[in-house]
Amino acid sequence: MALNNPMPMGPWKITVYDQEYFQGRRMEFTASCQNIMECGMENIRSLKVECGAWVGYEHSSFCGQQFVLEKGDYPRFEAYSGSNSYRIERMISFRPICCANHKDSRMTIYDNENMMGRQFELCDDYPSLQAMGWMNNEVGSMHIQSGAFVCYQYPGYRGHQYIMECDCHGGEYKCYREFGSHAQTPQIQSIRRIQH
């Protein structure tokens, strides 16, 4: 049975399959699932996002590598795992990104932890922070004023993904350890707004 967290009613719908190419056992969700294994599936091998933006996780209880899931079809794990620095073939938990608002997304990145040092405000997509003038390949901290972003370890939207939301941590990510349970470095080199 799926574990649902209380959240505002919204237009969220995701259909998951236990086999690639939308085959095998199928389940629909309109709210969070902390552990797909409790629903009788061992893993999610393909999925369709019909409404809203979602974030998937490698492990139960929203832990491990994160995957941004925007509207569309994902026939195999490569379609959602992107270009990670290590191969991931599992997604066990997922939840809607309630604050995703592509047109009104704003964040500020900082050189140092605790919102200190040089800063830069972002409200668009940046395939390379260095190309826009950010002199470092790391981001010490960030504040999400509105919307949600996905930050990537490397330029060109590659590497580990970190989902940053205005309604998590009060929008404040004071150090890289708050970027996600899998974050081991403050290296972020590309950022984009999450589509909803």
Side-chain angles (χ1 to χ4, degrees):
M1 170 163 99
L3 299 174
N4 296 330
N5 289 341
M7 65 176 64
M9 293 300 292
W12 298 292
K13 185 176 180 187
I14 189 171
T15 304
V16 299
Y17 301 82
D18 68 353
Q19 300 298 319
E20 294 180 346
Y21 299 101
F22 318 114
Q23 300 294 312
R25 186 159 182 210
R26 167 186 184 268
M27 298 184 79
E28 292 182 358
F29 293 86
T30 56
S32 301
C33 175
Q34 289 187 358
N35 189 344
I36 197 68
M37 292 180 194
E38 292 179 4
C39 299
M41 283 188 182
E42 290 195 24
N43 194 2
I44 297 169
R45 303 241 181 247
S46 58
L47 60 96
K48 294 182 180 188
V49 175
E50 297 173 49
C51 290
W54 296 71
V55 57
Y57 295 85
E58 175 184 16
H59 301 296
S60 63
S61 301
F62 317 119
C63 292
Q65 175 66 44
Q66 303 170 3
F67 313 104
V68 65
L69 304 168
E70 295 161 305
K71 188 173 182 177
D73 295 351
Y74 300 83
R76 300 186 71 223
F77 72 90
E78 292 95 347
Y80 63 77
S81 65
S83 173
N84 288 306
S85 54
Y86 67 97
R87 188 175 172 100
I88 308 245
E89 294 191 35
R90 64 184 287 158
M91 183 168 59
I92 303 299
S93 58
F94 51 89
R95 65 176 177 78
I97 302 172
C98 300
C99 66
N101 184 348
H102 187 256
K103 293 180 180 173
D104 184 33
S105 294
R106 260 185 41 243
M107 73 183 296
T108 305
I109 59 175
Y110 298 85
D111 266 339
N112 303 320
E113 292 185 356
N114 297 311
M115 276 60 97
M116 303 293 286
R118 193 169 61 101
Q119 65 187 53
F120 192 85
E121 188 169 304
L122 308 165
C123 59
D124 205 349
D125 300 339
Y126 295 91
S128 171
L129 291 178
Q130 287 72 33
M132 67 138 211
W134 190 251
M135 302 307 270
N136 197 342
N137 67 358
E138 297 179 346
V139 172
S141 56
M142 61 186 72
H143 180 222
I144 315 305
Q145 289 91 0
S146 60
F149 292 83
V150 57
C151 300
Y152 296 85
Q153 186 177 12
Y154 303 116
Y157 312 124
R158 297 177 301 114
H160 287 297
Q161 301 175 22
Y162 307 107
I163 313 308
M164 309 298 184
E165 303 164 78
C166 68
D167 59 0
C168 289
H169 302 281
E172 294 183 352
Y173 296 83
K174 296 179 181 181
C175 69
Y176 77 88
R177 291 173 296 285
E178 294 180 352
F179 295 173
S181 64
H182 63 294
Q184 296 183 10
T185 172
Q187 184 174 339
I188 291 179
Q189 297 184 49
S190 54
I191 296 174
R192 71 177 178 83
R193 298 164 293 170
I194 294 178
Q195 300 278 352
H196 61 94

